[in-house]
Amino acid sequence: MSFAAPFALFALLAVPVVLALHLFRRRYQPRRVAGVFLFAPDAMTARAGRTRTPLVRSPSLWLELAAAAALALWLAGPRLFAFGEPTHLVVVLDDSASMAARGRDGATFAERARRAVRAAATAAGRDAVVTLVRSGPRPTVWLGPRAPMATLDHTLAAYAPKRTHHDVEAALGLARELGGRDATLLFVTDGEAESPPRGFAQRSVGEPLANAAIAHARRVRRDGGERLFVDLLAFAPATMSTELTVREVGTDAVVATRRVELANGKVARFELDLPASDAALEVRLGEDALALDSSCLLLAEPVRRVRIGVRLPAEAARALELGHAVRALGETVALAVGDDADLLVRDASGTAAGAEAVVEVVVAPGAEPVEAWVGPFLLDKRHPLLRGISLEGVVWSAGQPAAPGRGLVFAGERALLAEEHLDGERLRVTLDLAPARSNLTTSPDWPILLSNLVAAARARLAGAAQVNVRLGDAITWRRRRADEGQDLRLLGPSGAASLGVGSRVVTFEPVEAGEHRLLRGDEEQQRFAVNFVDARESDLRTCAAVELAAEPLPVADVEAKARAEVRGERERQALALLLLLLVALDWLVLAPRTGAEARA
């Protein structure tokens, strides 16, 4: 039960007033006497004032008490059906990174959002319940559902928006589902809007601001050093001036600094030559409205060297010129020692790859008769192994039978190059090729094919494919076969740990920027740098301060509210009739006594 006017319940004080009147009322019983003069003078003198007398539980007492209670309830306006539950406030908080921007008054948009939610909570009342939904690619119920209002401040204190751009419709839909028909819905964001989302009141707490951001940063190893590539963007009505600083993490030594001028909406590219270092580098811009996109942490990418093993007859190895090709591929490949190979090149009669080899290339000249084909060949050019390959001018010779597996290169219906996936992770590529009778190894396509095979092997190496990722992208870690089944956890800069998904290839989804540590038990496996890069969130020019009321309820909801109000009025009418009935009964009870006293 709730009341339209709760303060009217103070009218229940009439109940003790009625009791007091009955306790202190002078009661005289009529007595017939021959003459008043027979009584002594002092017996005829009434005592001054009223004194407490025993309470007589008469029907009049009960009727008057019930009438006083009915009057108080009628004034308070009880609602037994229309408002049977407390007010439910459902708030959707925009968790995008732009909400962390700092306005001209020194307050961040997030601080303004906290104040807006607290104001809505105060308007809802102390007895209201609250549900907080935080937007994101997968929205989350941050508080509640239907949590006590006293828990709101503690939760809001932890509000630190930092997500990349995302659609808030999923969060709004979740809020509508949790709130139902009678909830008060509020959407707190920083963007401008002509109308609020359906059913929501909208409170925009932003303002248009100028901002500069790091759009891209990458460090690449070069001979004798490194090269740093940085792209900057400015979102401002005029040219912005800022300072680009590169520091070495740990020593805080300044590696490079440069004053830059940024034009609105145009990418400014910078290349810096740096000495080779395994230390982490921090790229930072000068202070502006949004700090999250003004810094970038870059770890040194580990060298993922692919070890190539060769198990071919000497004549076939010379025809393929693998030694020269390995040297041409640079420091990222090396000839394997013994069976310790990641990419194994063997003939069809050789043994299969060892436990550590992730890609094996089988060169199968085939048996007589040997046929020769001259292009054009049919290629699956979407496949990564054939990227950049045309086979123009190539004479391809092969014997019988055709290459097993999924064909990638065809001469008519004959598959000349095919692939097979072994136990889900390993790759076998079969070259139906007689090297001594073909010119493939002397064409420009041969080193490209070998490079693509090396890239396929590198992608399957244990460890991390890359250690510098963007916020919103996944971190992947490929286990060694011996490490399968062991728990891995990713420890973020705030100390929050998350578990990965997958068995051989484990995937993590970081939710905060900064340095992350991958742990197996207490042993650190790798460090990752997660950086915020999102031009849509860095553009603060469309932020605004807007307050929009909720749109009118649908017709069905309006009718439901009207029916609830009618039920409330019927309850007041019933109480009014009850009050009149009680007063009439009290009058009927007291009427005979009043008449008797009058006749006496």
Side-chain angles (χ1 to χ4, degrees), residues 388-479:
I389 292 177
S390 64
L391 297 182
E392 292 183 6
V394 170
V395 177
W396 194 300
S397 300
Q400 300 295 328
R406 174 175 175 261
L408 301 179
V409 176
F410 294 87
E413 296 182 355
R414 172 73 180 270
L416 304 178
L417 187 151
E419 67 169 358
E420 298 175 273
H421 291 276
L422 310 176
D423 56 40
E425 291 294 328
R426 297 168 57 200
L427 178 67
R428 177 183 293 163
V429 179
T430 301
L431 281 175
D432 190 4
L433 177 71
R437 302 186 186 185
S438 305
N439 67 349
L440 174 64
T441 57
T442 60
S443 73
D445 292 317
W446 178 238
I448 298 176
L449 178 59
L450 288 178
S451 177
N452 292 341
L453 288 168
V454 169
R458 182 176 293 111
R460 290 169 169 79
L461 291 180
Q466 56 181 350
V467 297
N468 297 296
V469 300
R470 294 185 176 188
L471 186 63
D473 294 342
I475 290 176
T476 58
W477 177 263
R478 188 178 294 270
R479 302 177 191 256

Side-chain angles (χ1 to χ4, degrees), residues 93-100 134-138 160-168 190 214 290 292-293 469-474 509-513 530-538:
L93 274 175
D94 188 353
D95 202 31
S96 56
S98 61
M99 292 289 288
R134 190 163 54 176
S135 70
R138 289 188 294 273
K162 53 196 172 186
R163 292 186 182 272
T164 54
H165 185 78
H166 54 269
D167 188 3
V168 299
D190 60 353
I214 299 175
L290 185 60
L292 192 60
D293 60 5
V469 300
R470 294 185 176 188
L471 186 63
D473 294 342
E509 294 186 4
V511 296
E512 55 183 330
V530 180
N531 296 300
F532 178 86
V533 179
D534 191 338
R536 289 175 294 184
E537 290 299 313
S538 298

Side-chain angles (χ1 to χ4, degrees), residues 73-303:
L73 291 175
W74 179 81
L75 293 173
R79 299 291 188 267
L80 296 176
F81 304 102
F83 302 97
E85 296 181 352
T87 301
H88 185 193
L89 176 64
V90 182
V91 180
V92 176
L93 274 175
D94 188 353
D95 202 31
S96 56
S98 61
M99 292 289 288
R102 189 171 299 277
R104 296 183 182 89
D105 59 354
T108 64
F109 297 171
E111 293 170 353
R112 299 176 185 175
R114 295 189 194 100
R115 291 198 293 265
V117 175
R118 292 190 182 103
T122 301
R126 183 180 301 177
D127 296 332
V129 292
V130 63
T131 300
L132 276 184
V133 177
R134 190 163 54 176
S135 70
R138 289 188 294 273
T140 56
V141 179
W142 199 19
L143 177 63
R146 307 182 69 88
M149 195 63 74
T151 61
L152 179 63
D153 281 344
H154 178 73
T155 304
L156 285 178
Y159 176 49
K162 53 196 172 186
R163 292 186 182 272
T164 54
H165 185 78
H166 54 269
D167 188 3
V168 299
E169 189 57 40
L172 298 175
L174 177 61
R176 292 189 190 99
E177 182 178 350
L178 294 173
R181 285 187 173 183
D182 298 328
T184 301
L185 304 178
L186 175 64
F187 176 42
V188 182
T189 182
D190 60 353
E192 57 184 2
E194 296 181 358
S195 61
R198 182 177 61 85
F200 282 82
Q202 178 170 326
R203 181 75 168 88
S204 294
V205 294
E207 62 177 300
L209 297 170
N211 184 49
I214 299 175
H216 176 73
R218 183 186 178 194
R219 56 190 294 189
V220 179
R221 293 182 182 271
R222 296 289 179 90
D223 294 337
E226 294 181 347
R227 175 160 289 189
L228 180 65
F229 299 89
V230 181
D231 292 348
L232 304 180
L233 265 174
F235 305 94
T239 301
M240 284 189 66
S241 178
T242 187
E243 187 173 62
L244 175 64
T245 305
V246 181
R247 296 179 183 273
E248 189 175 279
V249 178
T251 63
D252 206 30
V254 177
V255 178
T257 182
R258 180 178 295 182
R259 195 73 186 175
V260 296
E261 299 291 330
L262 304 177
N264 177 39
K266 295 183 178 180
V267 177
R269 292 184 170 87
F270 299 93
E271 297 183 14
L272 303 173
D273 290 320
L274 306 175
S277 173
D278 291 331
L281 298 179
E282 182 191 33
V283 181
R284 179 173 290 276
L285 297 180
E287 185 177 351
D288 57 13
L290 185 60
L292 192 60
D293 60 5
S294 298
S295 65
C296 184
L297 178 66
L298 294 175
L299 302 179
E301 292 285 354
V303 177

